[in-house]
Amino acid sequence: MVSLFFIFVLVFSLVSLTCNATHVSKYPAIFVFGDSTVDPGNNNYITTILRANHKPYGQDFPTHVPTGRFTNGRLVTDFFASSLGIKELVPAYLDPTLSNEDLRTGVSFASAGSGLDDLTTVVTGVIPVSKQPKLFKEYKEKLIKIVGETEANCIIKEAMVIISAGTNDIVFSYYDSFVRRIEFSIDGYQDFLLQKLHDRIKELYDLGCRTFALPGLSPIGCLPIQMTANFENPSARTCLEEQNAHARSYNSKLEKLLPEIQVSLSGSKFIYASLYDPIIDVINNPQKYDFLVTNRGCCGSGLVEMGPFCNVDSSVCKNSTQYVFWDAVHPSQATYSVIAKFVADKFA
């Protein structure tokens, strides 16, 4: 009986050492991959013109300093990490001032302008989603040096992984530049992107990740820049239904694909997070959320400005909380807050 008790205590101790269960949050860390909607400033540290480390970006950030986030304040992943009790802000992995605690609780590898299709990043030189898992592998080696291999593997296994990408591919590589339209129908291009997403998930799974949150596409046809690019009636400033329909069809495919991937990857868990539903509800019912302007951004004219064209010389709306969009592409901090609240319950 004594020996059995000893064995029980030994096994319990080993399990405790294998996975430190002292985390306040259900998830010990958050790892983020994707594009400008989830990039907190990685582009500040690479050679590209697609940066948001200048005013008026960041005017409503807690420090009122531009961080590289393509909005006036916090991103949806910042709100999300806070609601999960992980941390208040998700930092950029390439930030050279990261602390050990920053690394232990998770970072973002996302790059503004990125896409699942490598062709999307050729002109801008940003980090494609295909290269972001390589940065994660480098990160894992750093984490092992900080907490040891056993604890590092545990953190990664229990962490929340978010991959938010696809909008730039469809908007800039398919609709606006025609590059991929020569090769693919919209249906074929969606399948091409989803295969790329599947490949990236498998890479991260092989590196130890197990819990994945996959946001769908937002209503692309409601982006101010897409309304402006509508050559048939650019002055109408109404959502483009065909593009929204394409976003919905992509989302349906993604939602159907995730359970299939989960079955193929033992021990994995996938959660589909709709971005389309909360954003289209905000646009269709702005008063419900205290918004007034839904069809142009707060920065400049709000019709085309983003990145380097939304700058210190740009005029800015008086009350950014009344605008769904901060610039012609990216939601405002107020909108990100609404989205985060909408999806938070799925991850509790």
Side-chain angles (χ1 to χ4, degrees):
M1 181 65 69
V2 175
S3 60
L4 287 175
F5 177 76
F6 175 78
I7 291 171
F8 172 79
V9 172
L10 179 61
V11 170
F12 180 80
S13 299
L14 288 173
V15 171
S16 299
L17 288 171
T18 301
C19 266
N20 186 345
T22 61
H23 312 298
V24 175
S25 169
K26 177 180 179 181
Y27 307 100
I30 183 169
F31 303 124
V32 184
F33 304 84
D35 55 27
S36 57
T37 58
V38 289
D39 175 9
N42 283 307
N43 279 17
N44 297 350
Y45 308 101
I46 62 174
T47 304
T48 180
I49 63 168
L50 282 184
R51 293 183 178 179
N53 58 345
H54 55 266
K55 295 181 179 180
Y57 288 103
Q59 69 169 27
D60 300 309
F61 195 70
T63 59
H64 306 292
V65 174
T67 60
R69 289 169 170 81
F70 277 73
T71 189
N72 54 309
R74 292 192 285 174
L75 297 173
V76 65
T77 39
D78 294 319
F79 286 113
F80 190 53
S82 177
S83 70
L84 291 178
I86 300 172
K87 56 170 65 178
E88 288 303 304
L89 299 169
V90 183
Y93 170 66
L94 295 182
D95 183 347
T97 67
L98 289 179
S99 67
N100 287 351
E101 181 63 13
D102 288 327
L103 292 169
R104 193 191 67 77
T105 52
V107 291
S108 174
F109 303 88
S111 177
S114 186
L116 296 164
D117 182 355
D118 283 359
L119 188 62
T120 301
T121 64
V122 168
V123 174
T124 57
V126 301
I127 308 167
V129 177
S130 64
K131 291 186 178 179
Q132 292 173 23
K134 295 178 176 64
L135 292 178
F136 181 75
K137 184 177 181 180
E138 177 186 285
Y139 157 84
K140 183 176 180 179
E141 294 171 356
K142 292 182 180 179
L143 184 63
I144 289 172
K145 291 180 181 178
I146 295 169
V147 301
E149 186 170 5
T150 299
E151 182 64 14
N153 288 335
C154 181
I155 289 170
I156 291 170
K157 180 181 178 181
E158 295 182 348
M160 170 61 69
V161 179
I162 298 174
I163 308 175
S164 182
T167 297
N168 290 329
D169 300 307
I170 291 178
V171 170
F172 300 115
S173 291
Y174 195 83
Y175 292 142
D176 295 352
S177 72
F178 303 98
V179 174
R180 286 301 193 186
R181 292 175 72 171
I182 298 171
E183 185 178 358
F184 294 101
S185 65
I186 185 62
D187 187 63
Y189 192 52
Q190 290 172 349
D191 294 341
F192 172 81
L193 294 178
L194 288 170
Q195 180 58 55
K196 296 294 184 182
L197 177 61
H198 191 170
D199 294 343
R200 303 293 79 80
I201 290 170
K202 182 61 167 59
E203 284 183 277
L204 294 171
Y205 176 86
D206 289 342
L207 288 167
C209 300
R210 291 296 180 268
T211 303
F212 297 83
L214 281 299
L217 297 181
S218 65
I220 292 172
C222 297
L223 296 178
I225 199 167
Q226 290 307 98
M227 296 181 192
T228 304
N230 177 19
F231 297 110
E232 293 182 8
N233 192 4
S235 61
R237 308 303 302 166
T238 56
C239 297
L240 310 179
E241 177 50 33
E242 182 182 32
Q243 294 188 13
N244 282 354
H246 291 163
R248 291 194 299 271
S249 63
Y250 176 93
N251 292 344
S252 295
K253 290 181 179 181
L254 174 60
E255 194 169 8
K256 181 180 178 181
L257 176 64
L258 295 183
E260 297 174 6
I261 300 177
Q262 183 168 304
V263 169
S264 68
L265 300 178
S266 176
S268 66
K269 180 181 180 182
F270 289 85
I271 305 169
Y272 172 74
S274 174
L275 296 183
Y276 190 97
D277 292 341
I279 294 178
I280 202 67
D281 193 47
V282 164
I283 290 170
N284 290 337
N285 305 286
Q287 298 84 358
K288 177 180 172 184
Y289 301 93
D290 297 323
F291 289 108
L292 290 179
V293 183
T294 65
N295 59 6
R296 59 188 174 89
C298 172
C299 183
S301 68
L303 307 181
V304 296
E305 296 91 343
M306 59 85 67
F309 302 107
C310 172
N311 54 51
V312 67
D313 296 321
S314 302
S315 60
V316 180
C317 66
K318 291 183 179 180
N319 189 349
S320 62
T321 63
Q322 296 178 340
Y323 280 67
V324 174
F325 293 94
W326 165 249
D327 60 22
V329 175
H330 305 97
S332 66
Q333 174 178 254
T335 303
Y336 280 136
S337 176
V338 170
I339 297 170
K341 290 175 183 176
F342 183 89
V343 301
D345 289 343
K346 291 179 176 288
F347 306 88

